[in-house]
Amino acid sequence: MNDYIQSVLSEVRAKNQGESEFLQAVHEVYSTLGPVIERHPEYRAARILEQMAEPERVVIFKVPWVDDSGEVRVNRGIRVQMNSAIGPYKGGLRFHPSVRLGLLKFLAFEQVYKNALTTLPMGGGKGGSDFDPKGKSDAEVRRFCQSFMTELYRHIGQFSDIPAGDIGVGSREIGYLFGQYKRITGEFAAGVITGKGHGWGGSQIRPEATGYGSVYFAQEMLATRDDSLSGKTCLISGSGNVAQYTAEALIKLGAKPVTLSDSSGFIYDKDGIDGEKLAWVMDLKNKRRGRIAEYAEQFPGATYAPSGAPDHNPLWDIPADCAFPSATQNEISGKDAANLLSNGVIAVAEGANMPTSPEGVELLLGAGVLYGPGKAANAGGVAVSGLEMSQASQRQQWSREQVDEELRGIMRAIHEQAWSAAQEYGHPGNYLMGANIAGFRKVADAMLDESAV
Ligand code: NDP
Ligand code: 2IT
């Protein structure tokens, strides 16, 4: 690696000690930028790498709320406003007990490059709370969301920062958050938050967009090898928003998804998860809020197993052609990647953010399989969020077909940018390098144009 990049990385390490996911994300991007920095000394002169590793602003606030037994609870709320060079901050909110500043900085950092790749004018941000919606009543979730927005509202806006969902924040939470924003401001600002319901300013296809998008990205990658998803056996992790619509898109294209998981374990259905079984899963997860283990009781052909050790998830041992990690960060260890490869996997499309550990990424790239990194493969969600913002500005709603067609076009464009940048900078077929370089150059050039100092 280039000396300058090494020195930036050691400075970033020293300044952000203990923020392991953030350091991992910065290392992953910056270690691929050597050829760009050599060709463009202007980025180094303006200290673009140093600037991009520093959030423009972080807001941290308390979120007090009252549980059903009348006890006062206090959580922490955070919004990381990472980079606004090409547009207002845009990115989701995560509600999960593991949420810390460093975790959100990693997600906000990834979001900057991802949003640049979508072709739409969106900067990067991310936020959330260590609140755990699991096991909470609807009323508790509502009171928490209202308290969270009571502080957040003053830091967001359709021209400044536009939140959306992520882990633990789905249509229910977006509804409560938007309702509170409206109550406080007295404005129906449809452009201030995305992922809203169709009946109240949301976009068609937004719930589907991340999962569909990662499948469309996999199609694009396979097409470069004259292959397709038809008939392919596919592993999916997670059983939330991204996993559900990944399964739906795969089924439509004639592929055979055989696994789903949650944080307790995974199910393997060797006969394939079909439309009917998926509808049952959607009801289980989105309405009854149950555990994926119940699938194996409902469909006797399927088996359930608890998740393995932290460095080994047996889900990735199941023989398959393609893998769609769609749960969380670092869910594919080096060992898991080795298992995928020894079972002959040919494509991995990351629905989750940074689901593959650095050791895993190295193995996948080394083996020459089609590896679609999250910032490219899962960009469909934020892309349709961008289209929701366009519709809000126009005060119009586009049809399902129109949004789906736009989404396909955007995923093609992301693939094309990653493919071309990898080629241009001497690493053909390496989508990780291509996506990092294409995203970086767009943001870095805007920073220079706007005068980065
Ligand atoms: P959901 O909350 O809808 O679902 C998350 C799923 O992942 C659940 O099945 C959950 O299981 C599982 N999961 C969460 N944390 C862990 C963990 N630590 N270990 C094992 N399993 C876990 O979230 P989404 O589907 O929206 O998000 C999934 C991934 O996709 C995340 O990485 C997110 O950042 C990324 N993403 C989401 C986008 C979106 O539009 N929603 C857009 C782009 C990326 P359990 O219920 O047991 O916690
Ligand atoms: O990680 C992501 O891209 C998201 N959670 C979606 C963000 C958004 O603003 O739609």
Side-chain angles (χ1 to χ4, degrees):
M1 201 192 308
N2 163 317
D3 285 351
Y4 164 61
I5 294 180
Q6 290 221 15
S7 80
V8 172
L9 284 174
S10 61
E11 195 179 304
V12 171
R13 267 195 304 276
K15 274 191 175 175
N16 301 280
Q17 287 175 29
E19 296 182 346
S20 59
E21 294 94 351
F22 177 61
L23 295 175
Q24 181 184 334
V26 176
H27 189 278
E28 186 252 87
V29 173
Y30 286 7
S31 63
T32 61
L33 296 179
V36 183
I37 297 301
E38 273 154 34
R39 222 182 273 185
H40 301 277
E42 65 274 21
Y43 297 143
R44 179 176 178 167
R47 303 229 164 261
I48 297 294
L49 294 185
E50 289 89 330
Q51 298 206 43
M52 279 191 183
E54 214 50 70
E56 291 179 8
R57 188 176 302 105
V58 176
V59 186
I60 301 185
F61 51 96
K62 68 170 179 173
V63 189
W65 57 283
V66 178
D67 71 17
D68 285 347
S69 61
E71 294 283 331
V72 176
R73 307 275 200 106
V74 185
N75 285 100
R76 179 175 293 172
I78 305 176
R79 185 73 181 165
V80 178
Q81 299 183 329
M82 198 75 192
N83 190 299
S84 63
I86 66 165
Y89 309 110
K90 177 82 196 93
L93 297 171
R94 179 176 292 193
F95 292 169
H96 192 272
S98 64
V99 165
R100 300 281 181 280
L101 178 59
L103 184 87
L104 295 178
K105 278 169 65 182
F106 126 61
L107 291 161
F109 183 82
E110 285 286 293
Q111 201 80 45
V112 171
Y113 305 92
K114 182 196 307 192
N115 292 5
L117 289 168
T118 64
T119 73
L120 303 173
M122 299 185 289
K126 199 87 185 190
S129 175
D130 56 2
F131 173 76
D132 186 359
K134 240 183 261 141
K136 303 288 190 304
S137 70
D138 270 358
E140 289 177 323
V141 170
R142 189 183 67 232
R143 288 194 291 273
F144 172 81
C145 288
Q146 290 176 338
S147 181
F148 185 88
M149 185 54 85
T150 299
E151 177 57 35
L152 185 69
Y153 91 94
R154 69 187 83 245
H155 308 290
I156 61 175
Q158 61 170 326
F159 299 116
S160 56
D161 186 355
I162 304 99
D166 192 78
I167 290 178
V169 179
S171 55
R172 172 181 61 168
E173 289 75 17
I174 293 292
Y176 295 150
L177 290 163
F178 182 70
Q180 184 70 356
Y181 182 90
K182 192 157 59 76
R183 192 175 289 136
I184 295 172
T185 60
E187 288 179 3
F188 193 105
V192 79
I193 190 161
T194 60
K196 301 184 298 302
H198 300 153
W200 41 280
S203 176
Q204 296 284 355
I205 303 284
R206 176 63 189 87
E208 294 87 342
T210 311
Y212 280 20
S214 90
V215 172
Y216 296 159
F217 194 84
Q219 276 186 305
E220 293 294 325
M221 292 198 298
L222 286 163
T224 65
R225 297 186 181 173
D226 293 325
D227 206 346
S228 79
L229 280 163
S230 172
K232 298 282 189 296
T233 298
C234 300
L235 305 177
I236 304 175
S237 63
S239 51
N241 172 268
V242 179
Q244 291 169 18
Y245 289 102
T246 297
E248 186 169 286
L250 287 172
I251 295 166
K252 274 199 218 169
L253 290 167
K256 184 170 137 186
V258 292
T259 61
L260 287 171
S261 70
D262 57 26
S263 55
S264 315
F266 74 95
I267 60 100
Y268 171 42
D269 187 339
K270 61 179 180 342
D271 302 327
I273 299 161
D274 60 19
E276 218 166 288
K277 293 170 180 172
L278 181 62
W280 184 89
V281 170
M282 289 184 175
D283 185 68
L284 172 79
K285 285 291 171 184
N286 309 342
K287 297 213 172 89
R288 290 182 282 135
R289 300 189 187 272
R291 308 303 293 162
I292 202 65
E294 292 174 45
Y295 184 102
E297 293 157 24
Q298 179 72 18
F299 304 108
T303 56
Y304 171 77
S307 20
D311 72 332
H312 171 227
N313 185 348
L315 187 158
W316 308 118
D317 290 358
I318 293 167
D321 305 301
C322 304
F324 293 84
S326 308
T328 193
Q329 60 279 353
N330 290 325
E331 54 169 318
I332 299 184
S333 65
K335 195 168 166 184
D336 294 328
N339 285 332
L340 285 169
L341 291 171
S342 62
N343 282 326
V345 86
I346 56 171
V348 178
E350 296 185 334
N353 285 304
M354 206 170 73
T356 312
S357 69
E359 302 74 32
V361 172
E362 204 179 313
L363 284 174
L364 297 177
L365 288 175
V369 299
L370 297 165
Y371 167 64
K375 60 175 76 64
N378 73 38
V382 74
V384 174
S385 277
L387 302 179
E388 184 170 331
M389 290 156 67
S390 304
Q391 293 167 74
S393 298
Q394 292 180 331
R395 292 163 193 271
Q396 281 185 351
Q397 286 203 307
W398 305 344
S399 68
R400 239 187 116 74
E401 293 67 33
Q402 185 178 350
V403 180
D404 196 26
E405 207 38 54
E406 295 270 353
L407 172 62
R408 279 173 209 268
I410 289 172
M411 296 316 296
R412 259 197 305 275
I414 294 171
H415 179 271
E416 169 56 29
Q417 292 173 73
W419 177 265
S420 306
Q423 196 108 3
E424 188 185 338
Y425 286 88
H427 293 265
N430 184 331
Y431 291 103
L432 178 71
M433 282 196 82
N436 287 344
I437 291 172
F440 172 81
R441 291 215 52 203
K442 183 165 177 191
V443 178
D445 287 345
M447 289 171 76
L448 290 178
D449 289 347
E450 291 171 18
S451 178
V453 277

